[in-house]
Amino acid sequence: MGRMKKNKPSRKLRELHHASRRRQPGPPSTQVSWTPLKQTCGCVVDWGWTSQTADPVSFKDWFISRLTVPCLWHSPSEAGASGDDLPDNMIVRPRGSNVLLHVRKASGDHLELGAQLASRLERVLDKARQGDAVLLDDAPAGFRNWLIKTTLHPAQAWLDHELTDIILNQGRSALPREILEQLPDQLLDSPCAQPESGACDI
Ligand SMILES: [Zn+2]
């Protein structure tokens, strides 16, 4: 009886030790996040990244730069090999960077999505080239008002929002456009600003 009692704490201690070891952070995510893009040759290519070898900003910059060039399989000089020799799935290091990105030939519903994302990206970049007023005019009304009210550079904020939705969220928006069009006034006085509010439901 006495020995059992003595054993208990040590077993508990061991368990605790194991539990704390298990709680230690694991390696960064190796799950590749893919976004398809129709490039100038007409091919739809999935570009991918992980937090282990790249970061969202580098991925966004690279993705935008791919809109105006043919895919790697159709620009052999860029890939450093003839297109036919390239595998369908590769890891590339953009010149002058220290990130690694994934690229593969898209298939299935990514073919259509890649075309949609390319035209949406083209549109927002075109608006941005025409200046802040034109760019901001393209934002949903309610969201535009909210940005004007809450940010110093609403046009830049809208551009960042669009690019994030297109490139990092595969075109999905956290909020549907209809809601962004009609953000009610009470929402503009954000409930999140009130300290007693535990959650923000927008
Ligand atoms: Zn191509």
Side-chain angles (χ1 to χ4, degrees):
M1 216 30 194
R3 288 185 69 175
M4 292 268 293
K5 273 188 179 171
K6 263 187 197 163
N7 283 343
K8 267 187 181 169
S10 81
R11 196 172 62 216
K12 268 199 177 133
L13 217 79
R14 262 206 312 274
E15 278 166 7
L16 232 131
H17 192 67
H18 283 300
S20 76
R21 244 195 309 202
R22 253 183 272 129
R23 266 200 306 272
Q24 278 175 3
S29 172
T30 51
Q31 178 88 41
V32 180
S33 177
W34 296 102
T35 304
L37 182 72
K38 187 174 189 177
Q39 298 193 218
T40 57
C41 52
C43 296
V44 179
V45 165
D46 280 330
W47 284 100
W49 69 287
T50 73
S51 58
Q52 204 168 30
T53 60
D55 60 90
V57 174
S58 303
F59 183 68
K60 269 160 93 173
D61 287 349
W62 176 256
F63 194 90
I64 291 168
S65 75
R66 297 303 92 187
L67 185 63
T68 50
V69 296
C71 76
L72 285 182
W73 291 271
H74 284 122
S75 52
S77 61
E78 183 142 8
S82 136
D84 292 338
D85 298 338
L86 293 174
D88 287 355
N89 198 327
M90 294 181 278
I91 293 177
V92 297
R93 182 195 297 273
R95 214 165 278 153
S97 84
N98 56 3
V99 302
L100 295 177
L101 300 174
H102 297 252
V103 60
R104 69 184 182 194
K105 292 179 176 176
S107 60
D109 53 6
H110 268 209
L111 295 175
E112 200 191 322
L113 181 60
Q116 284 170 12
L117 294 181
S119 62
R120 198 170 148 189
L121 187 58
E122 215 163 320
R123 179 190 168 89
V124 71
L125 294 175
D126 180 56
K127 299 281 176 191
R129 274 190 291 270
Q130 295 177 58
D132 282 2
V134 174
L135 174 62
L136 201 54
D137 215 37
D138 203 40
F143 192 48
R144 177 170 63 235
N145 292 338
W146 182 76
L147 288 173
I148 290 171
K149 209 166 174 177
T150 59
T151 64
L152 274 178
H153 304 289
Q156 183 63 44
W158 164 244
L159 180 62
D160 290 344
H161 173 89
E162 266 297 89
L163 294 179
T164 297
D165 273 358
I166 295 168
I167 302 170
L168 299 182
N169 298 329
Q170 294 84 35
R172 289 186 299 266
S173 184
L175 287 170
R177 179 136 186 146
E178 310 86 71
I179 291 181
L180 294 178
E181 288 286 1
Q182 302 166 4
L183 279 182
D185 282 345
Q186 64 261 34
L187 221 77
L188 294 179
D189 303 323
S190 171
C192 287
Q194 296 167 10
E196 67 270 23
S197 170
C200 183
D201 269 344
I202 58 166

